[in-house]
Amino acid sequence: MQELKTDILIVGGGLGGVAAALGALEAGHQVVMSEEYDWIGGQLTSQAVPPDEHTWVEQFGITRRYRRLRNGIRQYYRDHYPLTEASRAWPDLNPGAGWVSRVCAEPRVGLAVLEAMLAPYRGAGLLTVLQPYRPVAADTQGDTVRAVTLRHRDSGREVTVAAAYVIDATELGDLLPLTGTEYAKGFESQADTGEPSAPATAQPDNVQAVSICFAIDHVKGDQTIDKPRNYDRWRTVQPGFWGGPLLGFKAPHPRTLEIVERTFTPNPDDDPLLVDADQRKGGGDHNLWTFRRIAARRNFAPGAYASDICLVNWPMIDYMEASIIDQPEAEKERHLQAAAELSYAMFYWLQTEAPRADGGIGFRGLRLRGDITGTEHGLAMAPYIRESRRILGVTRIVEQHLSHAVRGDQGAVKYRDSVGVGMYRIDLHPSTGGDNYIDVPSCPFEIALGALLPRRMTNLLAGGKNIATTHITNGCYRLHPVEWNVGEVAGMLAAHCLDTGATPHQVQASDAKLLAFQAQLEQAGVQLHWPDVRAY
């Protein structure tokens, strides 16, 4: 077995992991980062989800490094794609002209920019990336993680990495059970969290659905795939609150829960420059084609794209049948395979049974674009994970800290130890416990340093969706820019502690040490507080 030693080990190369690496590397420290899939970037790339961001993202409310990522994606299109002159000159270029985000782009572009951001540190020998590796064991002594063992996905080869600080940036908080770190999962009880919307009894297996997304376009000819396995079963599934079969265009509106019928019209001749991706103005996915479109053909020179490219991350592919957290590996894989079957079933239904506006049935010109998602099977490389295990932290972020229904115009709680900001509605997808959407207003919030620190473990930091939120508050902390901010701060904190000799808990507890670290964050472009903005 190979053994490595480094300053900082980051397990998980999603958005939080990459941001953590940049935060630590720019401070001059040696980093090993692992990632279990072929692409780094997590929800932006391997999971194929355009970034869900708040309405002020072009002005403020994100870190400087995250803005570098967004600007880099736009510049990549200007440098390498045959944009029209109008689109090339568009300062806030939205390549896909999707309504969900102001930067809807192909996953491979996000990957290219992330790789470019890390490339100088690989070249300098400061960064080692182990890929595709996943954690399988940890060596702990008391309240300290000494080393983590990682196993290659294909060969089974193992590497043990010892580090002064370890950051768990995995999608599901995989290091928490391996290290014996105390954590929560699923829906906590009201007695535990005091949250007004929590159930009376804890529901540890009630988590938000996972989804396996996919990209499609619409071209000439019959592109119909073979009938997927278990299609007939999925065709009959109808959740009690759905208003119709799961495979269909009817589903609850996330905010009102009213049963609404979505529209689906491939390749509308709309002007991409007129799309205003402002979540305050609706936030609904009524038009399924344009909502998460990642390539708008009218942004490009005539004939460059035969079709728009649409990213399917719709409620109809939410896999609600079981949680994949703390399941035996074979059971987890069985559920992920079933989630993939559901995605194939939805695609086949679109091709063969979906009603068209012209009165016909099926869109046989729809084509799976596995080349866009980097796979031969046609779906995204990795499942879209909305909800992780969550540390029991020094600070717990609960509904009453940020819900607009609770806080009103006084805004979210201001944390003494703020290390960033975020904003998104409390957006919970249908769950494995049979819950409908919860999609309600939140106040622009801060990120508490104490939420990154386990109560007991001294050198393990949360670097993603595994911070000390609850099932409810995860609904607004799980999005791209917040995950990035969390990871970036975790990497900078580990570096700061190596430089100063202080522990993470000492930095959080001491006013003087905290102020010094917060000053360092602000200098690096991490916004700690919001200007005067309102809930939505």
Side-chain angles (χ1 to χ4, degrees):
M1 179 188 296
Q2 184 181 5
E3 295 184 358
L4 299 176
K5 188 171 184 178
T6 189
D7 294 338
I8 300 165
L9 169 64
I10 302 166
V11 181
L15 284 178
V18 172
L22 289 169
L25 290 163
E26 290 183 20
H29 287 282
Q30 197 90 22
V31 172
V32 172
M33 181 178 78
S34 68
E35 167 54 35
E36 66 174 300
Y37 291 98
D38 293 335
W39 288 358
I40 61 171
Q43 51 181 324
L44 183 68
T45 60
S46 61
Q47 298 173 30
V49 179
D52 290 292
E53 297 169 336
H54 59 74
T55 195
W56 307 285
V57 66
E58 302 297 352
Q59 290 78 42
F60 48 77
I62 56 176
T63 76
R64 185 184 300 151
R65 291 186 181 101
Y66 187 76
R67 192 169 299 284
R68 277 176 52 203
L69 169 62
R70 298 177 83 255
N71 291 341
I73 289 171
R74 286 171 169 154
Q75 193 60 43
Y76 193 94
Y77 275 92
R78 293 188 182 102
D79 290 345
H80 300 289
Y81 280 69
L83 296 171
T84 66
E85 287 308 309
S87 296
R88 187 176 303 280
W90 185 7
D92 295 338
L93 171 64
N94 189 347
W99 289 88
V100 71
S101 169
R102 289 187 168 95
V103 187
C104 286
E106 296 171 34
R108 201 182 294 272
V109 176
L111 173 67
V113 176
L114 291 170
E115 290 282 12
M117 293 172 80
L118 293 176
Y121 304 103
R122 293 205 204 206
L126 283 175
L127 173 64
T128 300
V129 180
L130 300 176
Q131 199 175 5
Y133 279 82
R134 59 184 303 182
V136 293
D139 175 17
T140 62
Q141 184 175 37
D143 298 336
T144 302
V145 181
R146 297 171 62 180
V148 175
T149 299
L150 305 158
R151 180 178 296 154
H152 193 279
R153 181 194 61 201
D154 304 323
S155 69
R157 176 174 174 267
E158 292 188 350
V159 179
T160 295
V161 185
Y165 285 94
V166 178
I167 297 172
D168 184 349
T170 60
E171 298 297 321
L172 289 169
D174 291 336
L175 287 188
L176 305 184
L178 292 178
T179 59
T181 302
E182 293 78 10
Y183 64 91
K185 61 178 181 176
F187 211 158
E188 299 92 341
S189 70
Q190 191 174 92
D192 181 14
T193 65
E195 296 174 306
S197 301
T201 304
Q203 301 168 1
D205 293 319
N206 185 5
V207 302
Q208 290 184 76
V210 301
S211 301
I212 299 185
C213 304
F214 53 95
I216 56 175
D217 62 7
H218 190 268
V219 295
K220 293 179 181 178
D222 188 343
Q223 309 292 331
T224 308
I225 63 172
D226 293 338
K227 185 177 179 179
R229 182 174 179 266
N230 289 332
Y231 176 76
D232 292 334
R233 172 184 173 268
W234 286 113
R235 190 67 186 82
T236 65
V237 171
Q238 181 170 327
F241 53 83
W242 210 251
L246 187 61
L247 302 187
F249 289 146
K250 286 185 178 178
H253 187 285
R255 297 186 182 182
T256 67
L257 303 186
E258 173 191 5
I259 305 303
V260 295
E261 188 156 3
R262 274 73 169 177
T263 61
F264 181 75
T265 306
N267 293 320
D269 196 30
D270 59 328
D271 184 348
L273 275 72
L274 297 180
V275 170
D276 182 12
D278 188 337
Q279 293 283 326
R280 292 175 301 183
K281 298 179 179 178
D285 53 4
H286 182 73
N287 187 318
L288 293 171
W289 185 267
T290 57
F291 185 60
R292 291 187 186 273
R293 182 172 51 186
I294 57 174
R297 69 195 188 288
R298 283 190 57 185
N299 266 328
F300 306 96
Y305 277 63
S307 167
D308 294 347
I309 301 174
C310 170
L311 196 285
V312 176
N313 175 21
W314 306 339
M316 303 80 168
I317 65 166
D318 285 355
Y319 180 76
M320 308 173 230
E321 301 212 338
S323 168
I324 60 171
I325 295 175
D326 289 341
Q327 298 274 15
E329 194 61 30
E331 189 72 2
K332 175 183 173 182
E333 288 305 313
R334 184 176 72 81
H335 288 304
L336 290 176
Q337 180 59 40
E341 290 173 2
L342 172 57
S343 293
Y344 282 126
M346 184 64 200
F347 178 65
Y348 184 74
W349 180 86
L350 287 170
Q351 289 184 312
T352 61
E353 296 193 61
R356 301 196 309 258
D358 64 6
I361 298 294
F363 298 85
R364 295 187 178 274
L366 289 176
R367 180 173 60 168
L368 277 177
R369 293 296 304 271
D371 56 326
I372 293 295
T373 55
T375 64
E376 293 183 2
H377 55 63
L379 305 180
M381 187 177 295
Y384 177 29
I385 304 297
R386 296 182 174 91
E387 187 172 333
S388 172
R389 302 174 182 90
R390 301 176 295 276
I391 64 168
L392 295 180
V394 171
T395 304
R396 195 179 213 177
I397 300 163
V398 292
E399 178 186 11
Q400 52 271 35
H401 286 184
L402 53 86
S403 164
H404 183 252
V406 176
R407 299 289 300 175
D409 289 340
Q410 66 182 323
V413 166
K414 289 180 168 50
Y415 299 116
R416 155 192 168 275
D417 60 343
S418 176
V419 290
V421 297
M423 174 60 193
Y424 208 72
R425 288 168 65 89
I426 298 174
D427 175 11
L428 299 174
H429 275 238
S431 72
T432 57
D435 294 336
N436 202 340
Y437 283 100
I438 299 174
D439 189 337
V440 297
S442 72
C443 303
F445 54 82
E446 298 176 351
I447 302 168
L449 179 59
L452 281 64
L453 309 183
R455 295 172 185 172
R456 182 177 59 84
M457 303 300 286
T458 59
N459 71 331
L460 177 68
L461 302 172
K465 292 186 288 288
N466 55 353
I467 64 170
T469 55
T470 64
H471 174 78
I472 292 174
T473 57
N474 161 265
C476 56
Y477 273 77
R478 65 181 172 82
L479 289 316
H480 302 61
V482 180
E483 181 188 347
W484 179 281
N485 192 325
V486 167
E488 186 174 336
V489 168
M492 291 184 68
L493 178 63
H496 178 80
C497 289
L498 286 169
D499 291 341
T500 63
T503 68
H505 291 77
Q506 288 170 345
V507 172
Q508 194 273 342
S510 161
D511 288 344
K513 289 181 172 62
L514 176 64
L515 286 171
F517 179 58
Q518 288 173 320
Q520 184 179 330
L521 293 177
E522 289 188 299
Q523 188 174 13
V526 178
Q527 183 180 326
L528 304 187
H529 307 288
W530 281 100
D532 186 16
V533 290
R534 294 287 186 260
Y536 63 85

